[in-house]
Amino acid sequence: MRLTFLRLKFYDDVFQKAQFYGQIRQWLFSRVNAELPNGHEALPYLEKAMTEDWLREEVLLLGGSLFNFLKGQTDQLPVIPLYKLFDRLDDYMTPAQFENRDKVINYWFGPIPERVRFQDILSVEFFWVVRQSVIFFKWLPWGTVGIFLILTGILIAVVRGVKQSLIWVGASMASAGGVMLELSLAGRWILLGNGIISQLASSVAFLNFPSHAIELLVKTCLEHFLWRIDLIALLLLLIGAGLITFCDFNRKLVVIK
């Protein structure tokens, strides 16, 4: 969780690989054209102002603010600053339009506010529930490492032999790595090979957002997640195999059934 869903860079890598920023940009243009009475007149200027690089930069800034809230670093939900986009339009207006800038913006975008709060999109309770889960997963790895070290210490004290204990620890780590690899392969076969994601993308498509873009995004996200699981599994296997191979011990390892 800490290496994937709790890192903003993970989402940025997925979005870039799936070319999702470009999909969002085109979708926003289509919504402006379809939903706003005079939106089609703003499109030529909007296409120049809302570049893909600028959109990515703003999404990352907004995502960083949201992550600060979810990780407990702030108690304020972020605000979507649409006024930044309106300000960028100033550079592409004609002199006559710029003289009546506020009227032009209101004519183009009408009811769209300059700032949109996250709680206007989803309930505040939803974000607080997610925040509690994120904080739990934030500290879970440290607790897991602490428990592992305590159990290892108990094992060494009971066995009274460091080498034999390290063999058992290595066997446990290698087994865990093997199980993780099996789960990763099963996840690829079940989720990526049976058309489940295609059906899911078709069912969750909203406001004419292209389902193929959602499908590619979900597949890319899963591939990135499973790839990191593979790395951790291989690391566990290598450490476990190293402990078993290089720890010289005289007693035999007895498996109790």
Side-chain angles (χ1 to χ4, degrees):
M1 293 295 293
R2 286 181 65 90
L3 292 175
T4 54
F5 299 124
L6 298 186
R7 286 193 176 184
L8 185 61
K9 187 178 184 303
F10 171 78
Y11 297 97
D12 184 39
D13 292 341
V14 171
F15 278 28
Q16 289 189 85
K17 186 173 181 180
Q19 299 180 343
F20 200 63
Y21 291 112
Q23 294 287 348
I24 294 175
R25 181 173 177 267
Q26 294 302 320
W27 177 76
L28 288 173
F29 292 159
S30 66
R31 300 316 303 166
V32 168
N33 186 47
E35 298 294 332
L36 300 179
N38 304 307
H40 62 281
E41 297 185 28
L43 281 181
Y45 307 93
L46 197 60
E47 290 175 352
K48 296 177 181 178
M50 187 190 290
T51 63
E52 190 170 330
D53 290 337
W54 178 84
L55 180 62
R56 173 176 174 260
E57 180 181 343
E58 291 301 316
V59 169
L60 291 178
L61 287 174
L62 187 63
S65 300
L66 180 59
F67 266 63
N68 289 337
F69 170 81
L70 296 178
K71 291 181 178 180
Q73 298 173 1
T74 178
D75 293 331
Q76 295 294 328
L77 280 167
V79 176
I80 302 175
L82 293 179
Y83 65 87
K84 289 186 177 181
L85 176 60
F86 297 159
D87 291 342
R88 280 180 62 85
L89 289 171
D90 296 349
D91 298 333
Y92 303 98
M93 290 181 179
T94 64
Q97 290 173 332
F98 186 74
E99 289 181 2
N100 300 280
R101 186 257 186 193
D102 293 339
K103 292 182 179 179
V104 172
I105 294 294
N106 185 65
Y107 175 75
W108 283 344
F109 301 103
I112 298 180
E114 292 188 344
R115 294 174 175 83
V116 178
R117 302 181 304 169
F118 266 67
Q119 51 265 47
D120 296 334
I121 303 174
L122 293 172
S123 66
V124 177
E125 290 77 11
F126 169 80
F127 290 105
W128 279 99
V129 169
V130 175
R131 173 183 167 122
Q132 294 173 356
S133 301
V134 167
I135 293 175
F136 170 77
F137 281 109
K138 178 182 177 181
W139 294 108
L140 180 62
W142 298 110
T144 305
V145 170
I147 293 173
F148 174 78
L149 294 176
I150 291 172
L151 293 177
T152 302
I154 293 174
L155 177 63
I156 294 174
V158 171
V159 177
R160 295 182 181 178
V162 175
K163 292 182 179 180
Q164 184 71 33
S165 301
L166 290 178
I167 292 294
W168 291 350
V169 170
S172 300
M173 295 180 72
S175 299
V179 171
M180 290 180 67
L181 282 178
E182 291 177 356
L183 291 175
S184 177
L185 291 174
R188 283 184 170 84
W189 179 73
I190 294 173
L191 298 175
L192 299 178
N194 291 331
I196 295 178
I197 295 180
S198 300
Q199 298 175 6
L200 177 65
S202 300
S203 63
V204 301
F206 64 99
L207 295 178
N208 296 325
F209 199 93
S211 59
H212 65 85
I214 298 177
E215 179 182 353
L216 179 60
L217 178 69
V218 174
K219 285 184 176 180
T220 306
C221 184
L222 282 173
E223 289 172 353
H224 272 54
F225 180 75
L226 294 175
W227 179 69
R228 282 162 175 77
I229 287 184
D230 292 342
L231 288 179
I232 296 174
L234 289 174
L235 181 63
L236 288 174
L237 279 170
L238 290 174
I239 295 175
L243 290 174
I244 295 172
T245 303
F246 297 107
C247 287
D248 184 20
F249 63 99
N250 297 321
R251 288 177 291 177
K252 293 182 179 180
L253 181 63
V254 180
V255 179
I256 301 176
K257 297 183 179 180

